[in-house]
Amino acid sequence: PIRWAELGTVYRYERSGTLHGLMRVRGFTQDDAHVFCLPEQLESEIVAVLDLTEQILTRFGFDKYEIMLSTRPEKSVGGDDIWEAATTALEGALKKKGWDYELDEGGGAFYGPKIDLKIRDAIGRSWQCSTVQCDFNLPERFGLEYVSAEGTRERPIMVHRAIFGSIERFFGILVENCAGDFPLWLAPTQLKLLPVTDAVMDYCYEVAKKAKTMGVRVEVDRGSERLAKQIRNAEQQRVPIMAVVGMKEVETGKLAVRSRKDGDLGSFTIDDLLAEMARCNSVAEEMTLMGEVVIKEEAPVVIDVEATE
């Protein structure tokens, strides 16, 4: 198969009354891809597209979909055989995935059947994002041909797919579902350094510089507030990881790390913290690793025996 993909800006004149934030706009970016394949390759290519769709949507936290298989409408191009083969391939791919789906009789495009995936936003509304469509029209209009094993010239099938659909719409749904509380790997600021005193500011900037070289998005607090207020501000800004920096941390080369969701994570060396955050970024995980925890010894309890008699 030949596979081409692009991020392309497209325009559609929506009536003003139907415009709706990022969800429905007049100009948007679509993650288009087109696969040109042989009829016998069609089902495996569709399965590959569905696998990629599942992998990407799951990484963003969307693991429940409404799936619709749309079949041939009254007005269409292409013969009965190719429509039946394409519909069978789409249906076979869904069965291989083990996904439940609904049948939309006659809901396909004029150029071929399709699979649509819908995800839900924060208030339960369904939005179509991903789509996989067979297209018999464009290969014919472009005059595309290939030489078969028998030496005859045949026309390939084109598969059109979009995973996010509209990037703007997907982003709008994601922001609403997260309520701005993005997972670590998506957070605009992943790490905030909280200096206890002005004397450690240079150390904080050194740590920030090293973090940036490892792909960690970091900010240094101005340090003008008390520590408790700095922590509160960072949590209200939904920063996932905070690191308290005092003279003790400067002397030991460590950071006292706190997670917004899990509280204190203990003490980490700079290299260990940044390496763990970089790992979490690469696999789209939250940071739950515990560092060195110092257990304070409690003072012994002295009981006055004579006073208790």
Side-chain angles (χ1 to χ4, degrees):
I2 297 175
R3 307 180 186 96
W4 280 310
E6 68 166 352
L7 290 173
T9 302
V10 294
Y11 299 93
R12 180 170 58 194
Y13 184 76
E14 299 280 5
R15 290 172 298 175
S16 60
T18 64
L19 297 177
H20 179 62
L22 287 175
M23 308 301 196
R24 190 174 294 278
V25 293
R26 287 177 175 167
F28 56 94
T29 305
Q30 199 165 25
D31 60 325
D32 263 330
H34 296 89
V35 180
F36 298 88
C37 65
L38 310 184
E40 57 268 26
Q41 297 169 333
L42 183 57
E43 184 173 318
S44 61
E45 286 300 306
I46 295 169
V47 170
V49 170
L50 295 180
D51 285 341
L52 180 61
T53 301
E54 182 179 28
Q55 178 185 350
I56 291 175
L57 293 184
T58 301
R59 176 160 286 202
F60 283 97
F62 298 101
D63 54 7
K64 295 180 180 178
Y65 326 113
E66 293 179 21
I67 302 171
M68 192 73 68
L69 172 60
S70 302
T71 60
R72 188 176 189 175
E74 289 185 9
K75 295 183 179 180
S76 60
V77 297
D80 294 341
D81 291 345
I82 196 168
W83 269 91
E84 185 176 346
T87 304
T88 301
L90 289 169
E91 198 167 8
L94 288 172
K95 288 179 178 178
K96 282 187 177 179
K97 292 294 296 178
W99 288 353
D100 294 329
Y101 62 92
E102 295 181 16
L103 198 62
D104 181 13
E105 293 284 357
F110 76 92
Y111 50 76
K114 62 178 182 173
I115 295 172
D116 291 327
L117 276 76
K118 296 180 180 180
I119 58 177
R120 291 186 179 274
D121 64 14
I123 59 174
R125 295 172 300 183
S126 293
W127 296 94
Q128 180 187 323
C129 287
S130 308
T131 186
V132 187
Q133 304 176 359
C134 296
D135 191 331
F136 315 131
N137 181 46
L138 288 183
E140 184 174 343
R141 290 184 65 186
F142 289 143
L144 301 181
E145 292 181 338
Y146 68 93
V147 179
S148 68
E150 290 75 26
T152 59
R153 291 189 172 275
E154 305 289 344
R155 200 168 302 286
I157 294 177
M158 188 179 83
V159 177
H160 161 75
R161 73 100 176 116
I163 294 176
F164 295 117
S166 163
I167 300 292
E168 290 78 3
R169 174 183 291 177
F170 185 84
F171 185 71
I173 296 170
L174 179 65
V175 171
E176 284 194 350
N177 281 27
C178 293
D181 187 9
F182 295 106
L184 173 65
W185 68 283
L186 271 180
T189 300
Q190 299 173 306
L191 171 64
K192 193 149 193 178
L193 301 173
L194 311 178
V196 175
T197 172
D198 289 344
V200 301
M201 291 298 288
D202 288 342
Y203 180 78
C204 288
Y205 288 125
E206 289 177 13
V207 174
K209 184 177 180 180
K210 190 169 187 177
K212 290 175 182 177
T213 62
M214 296 186 66
V216 176
R217 297 182 291 278
V218 60
E219 287 183 3
V220 178
D221 194 280
R222 292 175 300 174
S224 57
E225 305 280 359
R226 296 179 61 183
L227 180 60
K229 184 68 181 297
Q230 290 184 53
I231 293 174
R232 184 167 178 270
N233 288 343
E235 290 185 341
Q236 287 182 335
Q237 293 165 5
R238 294 177 168 84
V239 178
I241 301 294
M242 294 150 272
V244 177
V245 184
M247 291 307 300
K248 178 182 176 182
E249 283 71 33
V250 174
E251 293 167 2
T252 59
K254 295 184 176 181
L255 297 170
V257 180
R258 177 181 179 83
S259 164
R260 194 180 80 81
K261 295 180 179 178
D262 299 320
D264 290 331
L265 296 180
S267 179
F268 288 79
T269 66
I270 297 170
D271 289 341
D272 287 347
L273 174 63
L274 298 183
E276 176 61 14
M277 292 189 70
R279 187 196 69 81
C280 292
N281 271 346
S282 65
V283 295
E285 286 183 358
E286 296 291 343
M287 180 174 166
T288 57
L289 180 69
M290 293 295 296
E292 179 184 346
V293 179
V294 178
I295 302 176
K296 296 180 180 180
E297 294 184 4
E298 295 183 1
V301 179
V302 179
I303 301 177
D304 188 342
V305 180
E306 293 183 359
T308 58
E309 290 181 351

